[in-house]
């Protein structure tokens, strides 16, 4: 009998283990993606997730019967859906239609006051709300602004200001433009921040300067080292920005390389202050686990950022070819992408754009655009975050529940559901989900309400209990006292 | 058995809780203490510590339950306990302390009783507090720790018949001696493993040639 029970337990356990193993294998095999898709849980453990985006197809210059792209550096999507690619080493701008199936036109030259002018290494491009094309014409040291008929509107070059060093050579790399036609430009070797030009093309100021933080330890060592040693040490130079985008409110999203791996993207308000939310982990720097000694290890090297919509933005890491997507609160939603030579992986990703449920990544070495299509999982998360961003948390619950069916470890989904139950008043279920989502703050609120509920329900029992206990103690005490008195009396009587 | 676990011996740690000065004096001079009881209290402390780490409520507890291994922690606590006692004994031996090793073990072991008594209620209470009421939980914990600290201090002071200043000095020296002991043990192990490796290599060499 005993043996039987043991064997039964053993069988159950082994089947369970097999189920778990098998379940894992099938879950991973279903995705068919050439990269890891994962996320980090509350304790920074890597949790594998379904793929949020899968590679769909790739687009190269050859697909439109022209010369292959040569070291393309930037792409952007116009308000009317056209896709612009800066084909840097071919000195031209390629324009594709919104589904990227047809070549619309190629911009190689423009009329500059009667003379035909060309680009020299056009590096970054941006499109304003008015459909005007801003081109960082890097080796011509200027920003060219064209309208939608490729007519020249203005040329921004040779910025003049007291804050610029004498003989400063302006080499624009990335540009973006806001609703007031102000140009935000990342220039080569310019560590003071993003350069801002007003609508007349006059340089006005630097923007969003990254302050260098020297640790106490570094200060200590600098104090100890001699002048000669100090001259050989690396200088504390602020990192440069790498990519730039603008959201619908006119806030600038700018990515930078952070060797601490903590903050690789900033959201700059109109006065240039960083107002990004960093989430529970206080981290918007890509990968959290970056250990190891090989070239594959180390903090993520974020080269571009794209603001998508509903507060969601994605950043592109060139070190491991990952795309990290955050919501407006700075929570990591999903991670996908990888380096490699397979279809759907990158060699040197340089720029990222998004449209509808697609993410486009430009690879400069492969000279092609990789198009990623959202899966059900990715779409559900995007929709849920969008609903929450609009303040519709109860509608988001449905989406979160579907997300949990695909990935039951997703903490943000658990928190979302928990919060909804909390506002609905179902405190017990709220506690369950908030604990799964590791949200201490809201769990505590739910718990407090739950406790009060229980107390209220059982108040009569509780009070009766207290009265009974009090009465009981009083009665027993008086009985004891009486007995003692009797004993004392007899004792006393005895002594007398 | 009677010598170690009589009713009086089992009750004595609780007497020390409230009367440390008299309690520790009699522990040293009237054989009121019991080493096994002290070790049991230490083990209980380790158990309560692990339980607290695993079962304290989610609101006050940030420990990953997967990282808690109560057997490992028992080993750690015991090792630290032993290390402290040896360290203290080696220091006080040189500094004219009157306490024997046995007294040090019992006094330190008994001093852990407040922690045993507070960790469990604190763990239970943690299940009934919300985030803004955490103070109750931490109050109990701090109370236990402070009580234990006072007991250890008084225990060492009284069993060795030291002044307070001298006790504090010995405690600091104890800390250093613990470090030295750890250092020497590690060195010894390294050395032994190298010696072992040498003979092993010689053996393999002989076997392969023969």
């Amino acid at each position: 009998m005993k043996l039987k029970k043991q064997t039964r337990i053993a069988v159950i356990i082994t089947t369970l283990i097999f189920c778990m193993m098998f379940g894992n294998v099938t879950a991973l095999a279903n995705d068919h993606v050439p990269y890891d898709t994962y996320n980090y849980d509350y304790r920074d453990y890597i949790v594998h997730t379904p793929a949020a985006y899968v590679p769909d197809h790739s687009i190269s210059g050859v697909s439109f019967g022209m010369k292959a792209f040569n070291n393309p550096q930037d792409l952007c999507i116009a308000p009317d859906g056209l896709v612009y690619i800066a084909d840097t080493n071919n000195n031209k701008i390629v324009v594709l239609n919104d589904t990227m199936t047809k070549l619309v036109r190629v911009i190689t030259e423009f009329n500059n006051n009667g003379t035909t002018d060309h680009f020299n290494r056009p590096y970054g491009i941006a499109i304003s709300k008015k459909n005007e094309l801003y081109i960082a014409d890097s080796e011509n040291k200027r920003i060219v602004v064209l309208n939608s008929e490729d007519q020249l509107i203005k040329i921004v070059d040779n910025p003049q200001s007291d804050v610029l060093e004498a003989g400063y050579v302006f080499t624009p790399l990335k540009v973006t433009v806001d609703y007031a036609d102000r140009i935000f430009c990342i220039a080569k070797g310019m560590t003071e921040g993003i350069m801002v030009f007003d609508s007349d093309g006059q340089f006005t100021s630097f923007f969003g300067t990254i302050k260098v933080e020297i640790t106490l330890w570094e200060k200590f060592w600098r104090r100890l080292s001699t002048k000669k040693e100090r001259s050989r040490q690396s200088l504390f130079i602020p990192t440069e920005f790498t990519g730039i985008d603008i959201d619908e409110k006119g806030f600038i999203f700018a990515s930078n390389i952070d060797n601490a791996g903590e903050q690789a993207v900033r959201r700059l308000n109109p006065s240039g202050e960083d107002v990004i939310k960093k989430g529970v982990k206080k981290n918007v720097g890509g990968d959290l686990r970056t250990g190891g000694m090989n070239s594959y290890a180390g903090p993520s090297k974020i080269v571009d950022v794209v603001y998508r919509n509903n507060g969601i933005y994605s950043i592109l890491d060139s070190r491991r070819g990952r795309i990290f997507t955050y919501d407006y609160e700075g929570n990591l939603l999903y991670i996908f992408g990888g380096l490699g030579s397979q279809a759907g992986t990158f060699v040197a990703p340089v720029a990222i754009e998004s449209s509808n449920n697609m993410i486009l990544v430009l690879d400069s070495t492969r000279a092609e655009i990789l198009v990623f299509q959202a899966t059900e999982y990715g779409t559900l998360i995007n929709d849920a975050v969008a609903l929450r961003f609009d303040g519709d948390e109860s509608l988001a619950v449905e989406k979160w529940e579907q997300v949990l069916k695909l990935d039951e470890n997703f903490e943000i989904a658990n928190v979302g559901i928990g919060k909804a139950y909390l506002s609905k008043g179902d405190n017990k279920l709220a506690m369950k989900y908030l604990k799964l989502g590791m949200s201490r703050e809201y769990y505590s609120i739910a718990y407090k309400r739950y406790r009060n509920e229980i107390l209220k329900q059982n108040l009569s029992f509780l009070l009766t209990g207290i009265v009974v206990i009090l009465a009981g103690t009083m009665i027993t005490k008086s009985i004891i006292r009486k007995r003692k008195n009797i004993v004392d009396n007899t004792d006393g009587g005895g002594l007398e | 058995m009677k010598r170690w676990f009589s009713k009086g011996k089992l009750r004595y740690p609780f007497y020390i809780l409230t009367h440390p000065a008299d309690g520790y004096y009699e522990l040293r001079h009237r054989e009121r203490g019991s080493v096994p009881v002290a070790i049991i209290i230490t083990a209980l402390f380790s158990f309560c510590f692990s339980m607290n780490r695993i079962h304290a409520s989610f609101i006050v507890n940030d420990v990953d339950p997967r990282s808690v291994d109560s057997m490992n922690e028992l080993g750690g606590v015991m090792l630290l306990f032993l290390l402290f006692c040896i360290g203290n004994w080696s220091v006080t031996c040189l500094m004219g302390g009157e306490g024997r090793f046995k007294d040090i073990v019992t006094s330190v072991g008994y001093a852990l009783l407040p922690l045993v008594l507070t960790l469990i209620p604190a763990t239970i209470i943690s299940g009934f507090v919300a985030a803004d009421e955490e103070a109750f939980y931490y109050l109990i914990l701090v109370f236990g720790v402070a009580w234990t600290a006072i007991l250890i201090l008084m225990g060492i002071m009284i069993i060795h018949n030291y002044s307070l200043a001298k006790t504090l000095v010995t405690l600091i020296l104890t800390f250093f001696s613990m470090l030295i002991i750890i250092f020497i043990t590690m060195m010894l192990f390294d050395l032994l493993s190298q010696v072992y490796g040498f003979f092993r290599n010689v053996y393999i060499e002989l076997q392969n040639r023969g």
Side-chain angles (χ1 to χ4, degrees):
Chain A
M1 194 61 199
K2 211 173 182 185
L3 226 165
K4 230 179 173 181
K5 201 178 170 188
Q6 275 179 355
T7 41
R8 205 163 41 183
I9 291 171
V11 167
I12 290 171
I13 289 173
T14 36
T15 37
L16 266 178
I17 289 170
F18 269 93
C19 281
M20 280 151 73
M21 279 160 61
F22 199 66
N24 262 339
V25 169
T26 46
L28 288 177
N30 273 339
D31 291 339
H32 295 303
V33 288
Y35 41 73
D36 290 333
T37 55
Y38 60 97
N39 205 334
Y40 292 97
D41 73 357
Y42 176 76
R43 301 188 198 284
D44 295 357
Y45 282 103
I46 288 171
V47 185
H48 289 275
T49 65
Y53 280 78
V54 289
D56 198 60
H57 60 284
S58 66
I59 292 156
S60 62
V62 188
S63 15
F64 302 104
M66 57 182 188
K67 222 171 96 187
F69 298 145
N70 192 352
N71 192 26
Q73 286 294 336
D74 202 5
L75 83 168
C76 77
I77 295 177
D80 57 7
L82 295 184
V83 180
Y84 289 73
I85 302 149
D87 193 356
T88 305
N89 283 15
N90 284 337
N91 298 328
K92 63 184 181 187
I93 311 292
V94 178
V95 189
L96 305 177
N97 71 343
D98 53 351
T99 50
M100 286 178 290
T101 47
K102 261 194 257 161
L103 181 70
V104 175
R105 64 180 196 272
V106 177
I107 311 168
T108 48
E109 54 186 36
F110 57 91
N111 188 342
N112 185 2
N113 292 330
T115 56
T116 310
D117 208 342
H118 296 268
F119 305 115
N120 192 1
R121 303 275 184 275
Y123 202 92
I125 45 174
I127 303 232
S128 74
K129 285 235 167 78
K130 297 174 194 156
N131 238 356
E132 291 167 356
L133 180 61
Y134 288 71
I135 302 153
D137 195 1
S138 66
E139 288 310 311
N140 280 339
K141 319 287 178 199
R142 64 184 180 182
I143 298 170
V144 178
V145 185
L146 304 178
N147 68 9
S148 50
E149 273 83 48
D150 300 345
Q151 309 290 312
L152 181 73
I153 294 174
K154 66 187 173 213
I155 284 180
V156 177
D157 60 355
N158 197 18
Q160 297 299 326
S161 169
D162 299 340
V163 290
L164 291 171
E165 279 173 46
Y168 168 69
V169 182
F170 173 59
T171 309
L173 294 181
K174 295 276 175 109
V175 283
T176 197
V177 56
D178 74 355
Y179 51 85
D181 287 340
R182 265 189 307 238
I183 305 167
F184 298 86
C185 173
I186 298 171
K188 196 177 184 177
M190 177 49 73
T191 55
E192 313 235 346
I194 296 165
M195 296 175 85
V196 186
F197 298 87
D198 62 18
S199 52
D200 302 329
Q202 293 300 312
F203 171 74
T204 51
S205 61
F206 288 113
F207 188 77
T209 309
I210 302 176
K211 289 195 183 73
V212 190
E213 275 160 29
I214 304 172
T215 59
L216 214 66
W217 185 245
E218 282 166 340
K219 260 186 202 164
F220 175 73
W221 273 114
R222 264 187 108 68
R223 184 65 56 85
L224 281 191
S225 47
T226 60
K227 215 170 205 176
K228 211 172 177 187
E229 280 170 335
R230 232 173 284 171
S231 67
R232 261 189 265 156
Q233 282 168 354
S234 61
L235 291 168
F236 295 107
I237 293 174
T239 58
E240 289 169 58
F241 288 104
T242 52
I244 192 164
D245 200 3
I246 193 159
D247 73 3
E248 71 260 305
K249 283 184 189 158
F251 283 45
I252 302 289
F253 276 84
S255 61
N256 60 282
I257 289 160
D258 181 18
N259 289 327
E262 281 163 6
Q263 185 177 14
V265 58
R266 268 147 230 271
R267 182 171 183 248
L268 304 165
N269 69 4
S271 55
E273 284 154 10
D274 178 26
V275 291
I276 203 159
K277 287 188 180 169
K278 290 190 198 164
V280 188
K281 292 185 196 301
K282 304 267 168 250
N283 185 308
V284 284
D287 267 321
L288 297 175
R289 295 214 161 184
T290 55
M293 294 294 280
N294 52 5
S295 61
Y296 198 64
S300 298
K301 195 173 165 197
I302 304 302
V303 291
D304 199 12
V305 58
V306 58
Y307 175 77
R308 289 162 57 185
N309 41 29
N310 304 308
I312 301 175
Y313 56 93
S314 296
I315 54 178
L316 177 65
D317 163 31
S318 72
R319 191 181 296 279
R320 282 175 289 271
R322 307 241 192 269
I323 292 147
F324 302 89
T325 303
Y326 296 88
D327 69 0
Y328 63 100
E329 283 175 331
N331 299 313
L332 197 46
L333 296 177
Y334 41 80
I335 305 170
F336 66 94
L339 296 181
S341 50
Q342 256 179 299
T345 56
F346 314 119
V347 176
V350 289
I352 182 168
E353 258 303 336
S354 85
S355 80
N356 299 329
N357 54 357
M358 288 187 298
I359 285 182
L360 322 179
V361 177
L362 184 67
D363 192 316
S364 65
T365 305
R366 284 192 166 193
E368 58 183 26
I369 303 172
L370 277 98
V371 181
F372 292 88
Q373 190 78 36
T375 60
E376 188 194 355
Y377 178 71
T379 315
L380 282 170
I381 294 176
N382 291 344
D383 291 352
V385 172
L387 285 168
R388 202 178 56 179
F389 186 68
D390 295 336
D392 233 334
E393 295 224 17
S394 51
L395 276 176
V397 172
E398 215 177 286
K399 302 277 180 193
W400 285 135
E401 265 162 3
Q402 281 170 285
V403 171
L404 281 194
K405 267 181 208 150
L406 296 169
D407 174 21
E408 60 177 3
N409 294 320
F410 197 48
E411 280 164 3
I412 300 165
N414 278 315
V415 173
I417 294 172
K419 277 183 183 171
Y421 277 123
L422 185 64
S423 57
K424 221 186 269 172
D426 194 338
N427 298 323
K428 196 160 185 204
L429 269 177
M431 275 164 67
K432 181 191 156 198
Y433 280 106
L434 289 168
K435 192 169 183 179
L436 284 172
M438 302 303 283
S439 169
R440 198 157 269 128
E441 185 191 348
Y442 283 97
Y443 175 82
S444 168
I445 295 169
Y447 172 71
K448 211 170 176 182
R449 290 191 191 162
Y450 177 67
R451 189 180 60 187
N452 289 349
E453 215 174 275
I454 297 272
L455 279 179
K456 252 183 216 161
Q457 276 169 7
N458 300 309
L459 197 64
S460 52
F461 292 111
L462 217 78
L463 288 178
T464 335
I466 291 169
V467 169
V468 167
I469 288 168
L470 279 178
T473 44
M474 274 158 76
I475 290 166
T476 41
K477 255 186 190 167
S478 65
I479 289 170
I480 290 166
R481 207 177 298 144
K482 251 181 208 165
R483 277 200 192 151
K484 240 187 187 170
N485 280 344
I486 295 164
V487 173
D488 283 354
N489 285 345
T490 47
D491 274 12
L495 266 173
E496 273 173 14
Chain B
M1 269 323 250
K2 207 69 190 267
R3 194 157 68 89
W4 294 331
F5 294 116
S6 71
K7 210 174 169 188
K9 295 258 161 136
L10 285 176
R11 273 192 187 169
Y12 201 67
F14 294 93
Y15 176 74
I16 285 189
L17 274 189
T18 45
H19 306 79
D22 292 349
Y24 278 121
Y25 182 81
E26 295 195 5
L27 181 115
R28 167 70 185 88
H29 296 284
R30 296 210 182 111
E31 302 297 329
R32 303 290 294 269
S34 153
V35 175
V37 170
I39 289 169
I40 287 170
I41 291 174
T42 317
L44 272 178
F45 158 70
S46 150
F47 174 73
C48 296
F49 181 66
S50 301
M51 282 305 114
N52 178 264
R53 274 160 63 84
I54 296 172
H55 289 297
S57 142
F58 171 59
I59 288 172
V60 290
N61 190 0
D62 202 27
V63 177
D64 185 355
R66 287 170 288 186
S67 70
V68 183
D69 180 349
S70 53
M71 285 318 273
N72 254 345
E73 285 180 359
L74 178 67
V77 167
M78 281 304 180
L79 216 63
L80 212 63
F81 175 71
L82 194 71
L83 204 62
F84 180 83
C85 292
I86 294 174
N88 190 261
W89 178 72
S90 36
V91 170
T92 50
C93 253
L94 300 173
M95 292 178 68
E98 286 176 14
R100 300 154 294 181
F101 186 65
K102 178 178 141 185
D103 300 322
I104 297 171
V105 171
T106 31
S107 64
V108 175
Y110 284 15
L112 293 174
L113 190 59
L115 276 177
V116 176
L117 294 179
T118 52
L119 271 172
I120 286 180
T123 309
I124 293 168
I125 280 171
S126 78
F128 297 96
V129 295
D132 46 352
E133 300 151 2
E134 295 173 334
F136 290 108
Y137 170 75
Y138 289 117
L139 187 74
I140 296 175
L141 282 189
V142 168
F143 180 68
V145 171
W147 200 347
T148 290
I150 291 170
L151 282 188
I152 288 180
L153 192 70
M154 290 196 74
I156 300 294
M157 194 165 98
I158 290 162
I159 58 168
H160 294 304
N161 198 13
Y162 278 167
S163 66
L164 182 64
K166 201 168 176 188
T167 316
L168 290 174
V169 171
T170 40
L171 282 178
I172 292 164
L173 288 176
T174 303
F175 175 70
F176 284 116
S177 65
M178 282 161 78
L179 286 184
I180 292 166
I181 292 169
I182 291 171
F183 175 68
I184 289 173
T185 345
M186 276 164 67
M187 214 160 68
L188 198 73
F189 270 108
D190 189 50
L191 217 68
L192 279 179
S193 71
Q194 281 190 22
V195 171
Y196 169 75
F198 171 72
F199 283 111
R200 203 183 123 88
N201 282 343
V202 169
Y203 174 73
I204 290 170
E205 192 80 2
L206 286 177
Q207 225 182 15
N208 288 347
R209 292 203 177 188

